[in-house]
Amino acid sequence: MKLAVFSAQPYDQRFLEQVHKAKYSDALEILYHVFPLTTETADLARDCDAVCVFVNDVLTKDVMDKLYSHGIRAILLRCAGFNNIDLKEAEKLGFFVANVPSYSPEAVAEFAVALIQTLNRNTHRAYNRVREGNFNLDGLLGQTLFGKTVGVVGTGKIGLSLARIMKGFGCRLLGYDVYKTPDFDQYGKYVELDDLLSQSDIVSLHCPLMDITRHLINKETLSKMKPGAMLINTSRGGLLDTSAVIAALKNRTLRGVGLDVYEAEAPLFYSDHSSDIIQDDVFQRLMTFPNVLVCGHQGFFTEEALTQIAEVTLSNLHDFKNGLPCKNNLMAKKH
Ligand code: NAD
């Protein structure tokens, strides 16, 4: 078997190679490409049986047609989300598509907490000030989290983990989900989205990006949020209408915004643009707010999660190769 891995950063290679050498070195050859999978780069997978992609590799019909014409039959997503692949087209072509549905949900939940804590206590600003010899506290005022209300939108694996952590802080938890789980009851109570928005001091998004959730946070839903609330998004950038968020920051209805994801992140994230003139004016406007913290989609980025991603990705390929039932086969599930 030959596998082409796209958007392969040095750390992807390191963790995939550890599992490859330990378990599959006889049966598998892996080619690593640092660039994303596109209609142009798909040709580089010509002699391969499978491709492996990440969150910003977009698998359109054109890309998949090309892969199919080169004899590729398996697409391995080394992530949980699958909003970047047209599953209907993949099904028509008969592709095997598998993801890594759960790789340390705690890693992402803990990162959401890092965003909350940093924004709330302004440690990002304090870090810079103290390095400059400025020990003034003005502008660094935070709030005690104990007793505050945290609204979790999407109480799946990551949302539940966040609820558990914030319960430990002494927060009151509200949840909203289209599929409720009794597991949430030990942390808080389910309410309608409007009630969650109007009551929460912190709203954290953990639902997937789908047509129905695109721009879930928009001008109208922002107007329902408690004035002075904090908004955290570690899920997918498309959940927010970024322009509406900017307007809410400008009129000070939001106290702070912590983002690990951005709707138009693909051309920016995972590479160094420090010498470029960034052309995305919406992103650049976000960067001007002192109460906005943006990270480059790194919630998953822990040693434990990368080990798990590598193991499950190559195990999914092993199942495909050997015709075994694969529990992560997205084509066998309804979406
Ligand atoms: P999950 O499938 O366990 O949970 C998602 C939850 O969202 C489910 O309970 C589902 O019922 C709910 N949901 C679906 N539609 C909804 C809607 N319209 N409104 C409210 N809730 C809805 O997924 P997870 O493992 O918790 O991951 C959540 C998301 O986090 C993923 O979809 C992915 O986009 C994102 N993620 C980000 C990173 C990162 O590095 N920042 C890493 C992994 C996952």
Side-chain angles (χ1 to χ4, degrees), residues 187-236:
Y187 306 121
K189 64 168 184 170
Y190 279 113
V191 290
E192 290 304 316
L193 182 60
D194 283 1
D195 295 325
L196 181 148
L197 295 174
S198 65
Q199 293 179 40
S200 298
D201 300 290
I202 299 168
V203 173
S204 194
L205 306 178
H206 300 287
C207 57
L209 177 62
M210 301 176 294
D211 287 344
I212 196 167
T213 57
R214 190 174 298 279
H215 290 188
L216 181 78
I217 300 297
N218 52 43
K219 189 178 175 194
E220 194 196 333
T221 45
L222 281 162
S223 73
K224 294 175 179 167
M225 285 179 71
K226 186 171 174 177
M230 188 186 282
L231 178 64
I232 304 292
N233 186 11
T234 56
S235 190
R236 284 291 181 270

Side-chain angles (χ1 to χ4, degrees), residues 44-66:
L44 289 155
R46 181 161 292 162
D47 298 327
C48 296
D49 305 282
V51 293
C52 174
V53 298
F54 197 46
V55 290
N56 290 326
D57 294 296
V58 184
L59 286 111
T60 58
K61 179 181 185 307
D62 288 351
V63 171
M64 285 190 285
D65 280 344
K66 209 145 195 198

Side-chain angles (χ1 to χ4, degrees), residues 54-55 79-83 100-105 107-108 111 152-161 176-181 190 193 205-210 212-214 216 233-237 239 260-261 270 296-301 309:
F54 197 46
V55 290
C79 53
F82 43 84
N83 53 287
V100 185
S102 177
Y103 47 89
S104 187
V108 185
F111 195 77
V152 182
V153 179
T155 55
K157 292 176 284 297
I158 297 171
L160 276 179
S161 179
Y176 170 74
D177 199 309
V178 285
Y179 302 105
K180 298 180 177 51
T181 164
Y190 279 113
L193 182 60
L205 306 178
H206 300 287
C207 57
L209 177 62
M210 301 176 294
I212 196 167
T213 57
R214 190 174 298 279
L216 181 78
N233 186 11
T234 56
S235 190
R236 284 291 181 270
L239 296 178
D260 187 40
V261 286
Y270 301 122
H297 207 146
Q298 67 174 91
F300 70 99
F301 201 53
I309 288 170

